[in-house]
Amino acid sequence: MLEESIQELESRSLARIASAATAEELEAVRVDALGRKGALTQFSKDMGKLAPEDRKRAGMLLNGAKQRLEAALEGKKSEFDAAALAARLDTEWVDLTLPAPGPRRGHLHPITRIQRELEQLFVSLGFAVLDGPEVETEYHNFDALNIPPDHPARDMQDTFWLEGGNLLRTHTSPVQVRGMERLGPPLRMIAPGRVFRNESVDASHEHTFYQLEGMMIDRDVSVAHLLYFMKTLLTAIFKREVTVRLRPGYFPFVEPGFELDIQCLICGGPGCAVCKQSGWVELLPCGLVNPNVLRMSGIDPEKWGGFAFGLGLTRLVMMRYGIDDIRQLQGGDIRFLEQF
Ligand code: 2NL
């Protein structure tokens, strides 16, 4: 009776194993036959009731059935594993013989390009290119430039003040102050870099923008020298001769101070939208270095004199490339930058 039941269970289970389509079905067969509450387990408990001479035969049969079922389960399981591996290899293959995509080439930002162009020009004229800290002392950013304590530029509205009295430089002039202190006269230097003003941002104002200031200090430097260098600078920028005019302009760090305008390159004089119908574009504030500024940085104004200028690099880039919104330049939109 028991022997027949064992044989029947074995052949039924073998048939189920053979036709199992998933690992779950296979596991169900194992639980039904060999599990803790499975049929074979129950049979081995029932063997105790058999007569001793029957018990041996039934035991051998039971062990044999168990071994054959375990072997069949194992065999089917490796079939499933092999099929799963084959399916993965089929979908996840990589063609190692394909050429590698290679790094994506970038290019310099238009502001960096114009900055480097001007650096090369000034180096060729004997100027040093100086760098300095973006976090400055109040002294280097304001006092040493003859900017009085009640000047509006020192207001919270115009300057990013930091804890402890330092600030984010509002121009690159402090680099020139440090240059005068360190190099002494005679000297020629430019100070290009990033500057910060506490502005509300709109199409023509950014809190962060770029400047290039320059200075030459020597004996008997005059407005004629200033004009020569400014015209050389403008010809290099615009790649043609430009007509300039000087107007008086007030900056505490120069005396006399000028606004240098160029004749509008778009309309050539009669007036257009770019020059606001005036025929002239305000471009380059400049002047002779104020004797107080020289003295504060340890240079004797009786012996030495110089000119200085400040050029808005951001504004220059906008004019050169016809960019009408300053926010695009630092917006980080690669589609915008890829145009240059
Ligand atoms: C501007 C400012 C100017 C200067 C900057 C200067 C620096 C020292 C001494 C004297 Cl250390 N001058 N810099 C001179 C004239 C004009 O322009 O905001 N430009 C866009």
Side-chain angles (χ1 to χ4, degrees):
M1 231 349 244
L2 184 62
E3 290 177 23
E4 276 165 29
S5 300
I6 293 172
Q7 272 165 354
E8 197 199 296
L9 176 80
E10 180 181 343
S11 50
R12 199 153 33 84
S13 298
L14 286 173
R16 278 178 70 194
I17 291 170
S19 65
T22 64
E24 288 72 34
E25 284 179 37
L26 208 55
E27 175 64 6
V29 181
R30 194 191 63 76
V31 170
D32 289 347
L34 304 169
R36 224 152 32 84
K37 293 179 181 157
L40 279 185
T41 317
Q42 190 55 51
F43 290 152
S44 55
K45 286 178 189 157
D46 294 344
M47 276 201 322
K49 298 172 195 154
L50 292 180
E53 62 272 20
D54 292 337
R55 205 182 293 162
K56 189 174 171 205
R57 275 168 45 87
M60 277 168 55
L61 194 62
L62 195 65
N63 277 338
K66 206 172 152 191
Q67 279 167 13
R68 284 185 294 278
L69 284 180
E70 277 170 353
L73 283 166
E74 195 51 47
K76 190 73 176 184
K77 186 170 171 295
S78 35
E79 267 178 44
F80 284 149
D81 289 348
L85 180 62
R88 259 191 74 189
L89 288 173
D90 227 27
T91 52
E92 293 181 15
W93 65 277
V94 176
D95 185 351
L96 293 174
T97 65
L98 282 176
R104 277 183 65 189
R105 289 288 293 273
H107 65 77
L108 296 176
H109 192 282
I111 292 181
T112 310
R113 272 183 31 199
I114 218 162
Q115 180 178 324
R116 293 205 181 165
E117 261 176 48
L118 294 178
E119 284 176 8
Q120 277 170 11
L121 168 75
F122 277 104
V123 165
S124 79
L125 295 170
F127 285 64
V129 181
L130 298 192
D131 227 334
E134 289 179 344
V135 172
E136 265 297 0
T137 62
E138 185 172 5
Y139 173 79
H140 284 99
N141 197 82
F142 292 129
D143 300 276
L145 287 153
N146 203 33
I147 300 175
D150 59 354
H151 194 280
R154 296 210 189 195
D155 203 90
M156 296 267 285
Q157 249 98 56
D158 296 293
T159 302
F160 289 114
W161 289 92
L162 305 174
E163 280 170 18
N166 287 340
L167 49 87
L168 296 184
R169 67 184 186 195
T170 59
H171 40 200
T172 57
S173 311
V175 181
Q176 308 218 77
V177 171
R178 291 172 184 279
M180 286 190 287
E181 290 171 352
R182 214 180 58 214
L183 304 173
L187 60 80
R188 298 177 191 195
M189 61 183 164
I190 58 166
R194 203 154 66 135
V195 300
F196 310 88
R197 304 245 174 114
N198 196 351
E199 303 261 16
S200 322
V201 173
D202 63 28
S204 48
H205 297 88
E206 254 286 10
H207 49 69
T208 301
F209 53 99
Y210 288 77
Q211 260 195 346
L212 187 150
E213 286 196 24
M215 171 187 280
M216 171 170 140
I217 294 176
D218 213 315
R219 304 209 188 260
D220 305 318
V221 174
S222 71
V223 173
H225 297 111
L226 169 63
L227 271 179
Y228 167 78
F229 277 95
M230 295 305 97
K231 286 202 78 167
T232 305
L233 168 61
L234 294 169
T235 306
I237 292 171
F238 295 107
K239 313 241 186 311
R240 58 176 137 151
E241 193 87 17
V242 290
T243 308
V244 303
R245 74 174 184 191
L246 277 188
R247 289 179 294 123
Y250 172 71
F251 308 98
F253 30 87
V254 285
E255 182 58 39
F258 305 105
E259 291 285 3
L260 190 151
D261 302 336
I262 61 167
Q263 198 160 58
C264 181
L265 293 168
I266 307 298
C267 65
C272 67
V274 171
C275 60
K276 302 196 193 86
Q277 311 306 328
S278 75
W280 299 90
V281 179
E282 192 177 306
L283 196 68
L284 199 59
C286 53
L288 297 185
V289 182
N290 189 305
N292 291 336
V293 171
L294 292 175
R295 204 176 293 113
M296 276 186 277
S297 290
I299 296 173
D300 182 354
E302 301 296 329
K303 293 190 185 139
W304 304 95
F307 67 74
F309 63 92
L311 186 63
L313 285 184
T314 303
R315 181 132 175 270
L316 206 57
V317 166
M318 291 174 73
M319 280 178 60
R320 183 195 258 192
Y321 296 107
I323 297 164
D324 60 6
D325 191 329
I326 194 170
R327 289 167 292 195
Q328 302 247 260
L329 282 166
Q330 272 157 133
D333 188 336
I334 202 80
R335 294 167 304 176
F336 168 75
L337 292 172
E338 272 170 349
Q339 300 174 82
F340 304 101

